[in-house]
Amino acid sequence: MSLKVYISGRLVDKEDAKISVFDHGLLYGDGVFEGLRSYNGRVFELDEHLDRLWESARAIHLQIPGTKAEMAAAVEETLQANQLRDAYIRLVITRGRGTLGLDPNRCSDPQVIIITDKIALYPPENYEQGLELVTAATIRNHPAALSPRIKSLNYLNNIMAKIEGLRAGCVEALMLNHKGEVAECTGDNIFVVRRGTLMTPPIDAGILEGITRNVVLRLAREAQIPVAEVPFTRHDIFVAEECFLTGSAAEVIPVVKLDGRPIGEGVPGPITGRLIQAFRRCVQGD
Ligand code: PMP
């Protein structure tokens, strides 16, 4: 059975899932997207993802066709058509077909695309042994140029940093902001444990407000772990006891090295381990 993809109200075979070459999503990266997970047939943090999608669209002056409830129903329909209970879900809203000029007002038909598939996480050994990161020379987009809070189809900033990471043999790379502070990774938020406090950069460090990030902050507070959303630099990672990343695809994954330097004991730490366990229980709805 071929995978079904939802495009603007229709479920079509993967091979037939096509949009116009005049769509500004393709021509200019003009559009927004979301990446979600379903566990055991339940979409995790669905309302939060839909809120962020609507806010991203609002920020780029794009009207998403239909309501959040209709989008939620379309996600459900696509998962069922593909008989998927544990899946990665990609929602994409493009500006729609336009002319070769930039003018978004000349695009008439924003496309709603829903792709569901089995998830390919990082290999299991990365979760057991932890990841190694390098710092990318490419800084995160300046918020005054393009806010990192918008999850737009224009991901070249992150891709440039990802290329740097891959060329250094790392699957993720650390990105700093224009002030030289730690921002986030190319597709994940970052946390450190420093003097017993769990620290993560604040939103105004110029990051995507990750939904996994917010869940982990909540789980940490529930577990009485001191938390702080404060700016910090690479120094704080070098001297941290622990480090980990969060994201819908990656979930919670330990980091054990930055730029060739071991973090803490150079192995995944105990607070990271506790939060991984708490996160697993949370996604299963316990
Ligand atoms: N930062 C960036 C740049 C991302 O693209 C993502 C998710 N793809 C994240 C952080 C993590 O966000 P979330 O937990 O909502 O998946």
Side-chain angles (χ1 to χ4, degrees):
M1 188 191 78
S2 173
L3 189 82
K4 299 278 191 225
V5 174
Y6 177 100
I7 303 187
S8 298
R10 294 195 315 134
L11 280 168
V12 296
D13 286 341
K14 177 169 121 182
E15 294 73 25
D16 302 322
K18 294 172 184 161
I19 61 158
S20 166
V21 294
F22 291 97
D23 194 306
H24 280 205
L26 173 70
L27 288 175
Y28 299 118
D30 187 354
V32 293
F33 77 103
E34 272 300 320
L36 306 80
R37 294 285 291 272
S38 82
Y39 297 94
N40 246 323
R42 194 176 62 99
V43 182
F44 185 59
E45 300 286 285
L46 176 61
D47 291 346
E48 286 71 14
H49 281 281
L50 292 180
D51 287 347
R52 189 171 67 183
L53 182 67
W54 255 257
E55 285 177 9
S56 291
R58 180 82 189 222
I60 69 161
H61 211 76
L62 168 65
Q63 175 81 46
I64 298 177
T67 63
K68 289 181 190 172
E70 283 162 352
M71 185 73 77
V75 167
E76 208 52 58
E77 187 189 343
T78 312
L79 284 170
Q80 272 170 20
N82 292 301
Q83 295 174 358
L84 285 168
R85 291 179 60 75
D86 291 281
Y88 179 81
I89 305 155
R90 172 62 55 90
L91 304 185
V92 182
I93 319 292
T94 72
R95 183 74 72 179
R97 206 170 358 163
T99 61
L100 288 181
L102 290 180
D103 189 352
N105 299 316
R106 299 183 73 179
C107 303
S108 48
D109 58 344
Q111 300 292 302
V112 177
I113 301 165
I114 306 174
I115 309 167
T116 56
D117 209 348
K118 294 211 172 63
I119 177 83
L121 290 174
Y122 295 122
E125 56 268 24
N126 283 160
Y127 288 85
E128 285 143 27
Q129 287 149 29
L131 287 181
E132 181 172 347
L133 301 180
V134 285
T135 308
T138 305
I139 64 162
R140 194 75 176 91
N141 277 333
H142 192 298
L146 177 62
S147 172
R149 299 188 69 173
I150 302 171
K151 206 163 162 60
S152 86
L153 291 183
N154 205 308
Y155 245 53
L156 266 181
N157 178 224
N158 311 59
I159 291 167
M160 298 313 281
K162 177 91 176 184
I163 290 170
E164 290 184 56
L166 292 172
R167 290 189 68 93
C170 296
V171 293
E172 252 298 15
L174 177 68
M175 300 185 78
L176 307 178
N177 66 16
H178 60 284
K179 295 187 246 177
E181 299 160 349
V182 170
E184 58 181 334
C185 289
T186 68
D188 299 297
N189 291 112
I190 188 160
F191 287 76
V192 292
V193 178
R194 172 131 159 69
R195 297 181 182 161
T197 296
L198 183 66
M199 290 168 32
T200 197
I203 306 308
D204 61 12
I207 62 170
L208 182 76
E209 183 174 358
I211 286 160
T212 319
R213 168 192 185 275
N214 290 350
V215 169
V216 165
L217 283 172
R218 189 178 77 222
L219 293 173
R221 289 190 180 105
E222 282 169 13
Q224 319 280 334
I225 298 165
V227 300
E229 293 176 64
V230 285
F232 59 89
T233 65
R234 230 160 46 118
H235 169 83
D236 298 283
I237 305 181
F238 289 140
V239 301
E241 291 107 62
E242 301 182 32
C243 181
F244 63 84
L245 308 182
T246 62
S248 297
E251 303 177 313
V252 182
I253 186 160
V255 175
V256 293
K257 248 186 197 179
L258 173 64
D259 299 326
R261 298 165 62 155
I263 299 168
E265 304 296 320
V267 293
I271 292 181
T272 305
R274 276 170 69 195
L275 289 169
I276 289 174
Q277 291 310 318
F279 187 77
R280 296 246 154 93
R281 286 194 297 272
C282 180
V283 298
Q284 295 301 336
D286 297 354

